[in-house]
Amino acid sequence: MHYTNLISRIFEKLSHFAFCPKIQFLINKAYVKLFKIDLEEFDTLQSYPTLDALFTRSLVKMRSFDKNQNVLISPCDGVVMESGVCKNNMAMQIKGKNYGLRDFIHQDLDEHYCFVNFYLSPRDYHRFHAPINLEVKKIELIEGMLLPVNERSLLKNENLFNKNKRVVLECQDDFGNAFYYVAIGALNVGKIQINVESEIVNLKMNKIYEYKKPIKIKKGEEIGCFHMGSTIVILSKNWEYDLKPREKVFFGQQIAKYKE
């Protein structure tokens, strides 16, 4: 077992432990202060019985967003680490560091596809949503390492996205195009929760789920969550993005329009 996986397992146990309410409140308060978390859209500190509950906090009120099918919204809160066009079946994890899509999602993509990488820091909202109406045809859990996915680690490690644990959702959008939605694990993210397949969160092995009748997920609907911060990558066809590297985005924000 790689040491980062071991650290993540230890941290997972600690984060799920419910201390007495007074101690837990102080732990939650320290975490919020350390990472400068804004709880305006969330419940009170006292309502989270564990640190994991605070990590995976849900919005008290659903955010509004453009429901037009020609508009694609951000699937999460985070920072855009990179975005661009897939070339030679490659995408970019960060400037100067490319990785192969065949190893990443077990598919080949042409240059009509674009990629966007969203980094979720410890301060971010850790649930992720559908950026457009999707029909899920296949879900693949790929076991792997739990290396950090922050900027320093992305610059240091070759093919990091292909090494780390991840869940790949192979979907179709409203326009009939294949749409890939990938949740990547990282240090302290031993669990990735996918709502339509509840067992994934506890699995420690590769597994594929295929659906004869695709699972429909509406735009804005919650897909799952990370039990700590990590990365979401979307790979899409015929969408024109308006994003800049290191730009902060929020779930529900318009990030692309469909190219007719």
Side-chain angles (χ1 to χ4, degrees):
M1 180 187 295
H2 193 270
Y3 77 92
T4 56
N5 292 56
L6 179 60
I7 290 171
S8 296
R9 286 193 179 184
I10 294 171
F11 184 83
E12 178 188 332
K13 290 183 178 180
L14 290 173
S15 68
H16 281 79
F17 185 82
F19 293 88
C20 71
K22 288 184 178 179
I23 297 298
Q24 191 64 56
F25 174 78
L26 292 175
I27 292 171
N28 292 350
K29 185 177 181 181
Y31 181 81
V32 167
K33 184 177 181 181
L34 177 64
F35 292 107
K36 300 177 181 177
I37 297 172
D38 183 357
L39 288 177
E40 184 179 351
E41 295 180 283
F42 305 96
D43 215 332
T44 62
L45 279 178
Q46 293 92 334
S47 67
Y48 303 112
T50 65
L51 198 53
D52 182 73
L54 177 60
F55 292 157
T56 59
R57 61 193 180 274
S58 59
L59 294 164
V60 173
K61 183 180 179 181
M62 185 64 171
R63 293 179 189 167
S64 60
F65 56 85
D66 191 332
K67 294 181 172 58
N68 190 315
Q69 67 172 351
N70 294 312
V71 171
L72 190 143
I73 61 174
S74 175
C76 59
D77 289 3
V79 173
V80 178
M81 297 304 290
E82 286 294 347
S83 65
V85 177
C86 299
K87 295 180 179 179
N88 301 318
N89 206 33
M90 304 280 285
M92 187 185 298
Q93 67 182 32
I94 201 165
K95 188 175 182 180
K97 299 285 184 182
N98 294 328
Y99 62 95
L101 293 171
R102 162 60 62 172
D103 289 335
F104 183 53
I105 60 170
H106 298 161
Q107 296 287 338
D108 297 317
L109 300 182
D110 60 33
E111 295 187 7
H112 291 99
Y113 279 85
C114 290
F115 65 89
V116 185
N117 310 336
F118 302 93
Y119 168 63
L120 288 72
S121 76
R123 69 176 295 182
D124 286 317
Y125 167 59
H126 296 89
R127 295 178 184 247
F128 45 87
H129 301 252
I132 195 69
N133 292 336
L134 295 173
E135 292 189 355
V136 183
K137 295 183 173 182
K138 183 170 77 171
I139 298 176
E140 182 173 6
L141 169 62
I142 303 172
E143 265 300 315
M145 299 167 69
L146 294 171
L147 296 169
V149 290
N150 55 31
E151 185 171 359
R152 182 179 179 183
S153 184
L154 290 175
L155 288 167
K156 177 183 178 182
N157 294 289
E158 301 284 345
N159 296 309
L160 189 156
F161 288 170
N162 289 345
K163 294 175 181 176
N164 271 20
K165 176 179 180 177
R166 57 200 180 276
V167 179
V168 180
L169 281 72
E170 183 179 324
C171 312
Q172 181 175 293
D173 65 19
D174 276 339
F175 301 94
N177 300 317
F179 190 108
Y180 295 88
Y181 190 116
V182 188
I184 305 175
L187 181 67
N188 296 334
V189 189
K191 292 185 176 181
I192 303 171
Q193 178 179 323
I194 302 297
N195 296 344
V196 296
E197 288 293 350
S198 59
E199 74 169 3
I200 283 179
V201 73
N202 291 314
L203 285 181
K204 304 291 183 184
M205 55 181 278
N206 295 335
K207 189 163 183 178
I208 295 175
Y209 304 83
E210 295 191 75
Y211 309 104
K212 291 182 179 179
K213 184 178 180 181
I215 297 173
K216 294 184 178 182
I217 301 179
K218 293 182 179 180
K219 184 178 184 177
E221 187 176 340
E222 184 184 308
I223 290 178
C225 71
F226 291 114
H227 291 255
M228 191 62 174
S230 194
T231 289
I232 293 289
V233 174
I234 56 176
L235 299 153
S236 60
K237 185 177 183 179
N238 294 339
W239 289 93
E240 189 170 32
Y241 289 87
D242 182 19
L243 294 169
K244 298 176 183 177
R246 311 305 182 272
E247 179 181 351
K248 178 69 178 178
V249 294
F250 297 90
F251 158 58
Q253 173 183 333
Q254 178 180 321
I255 59 172
K257 286 188 176 181
Y258 191 74
K259 295 186 290 186
E260 300 292 346

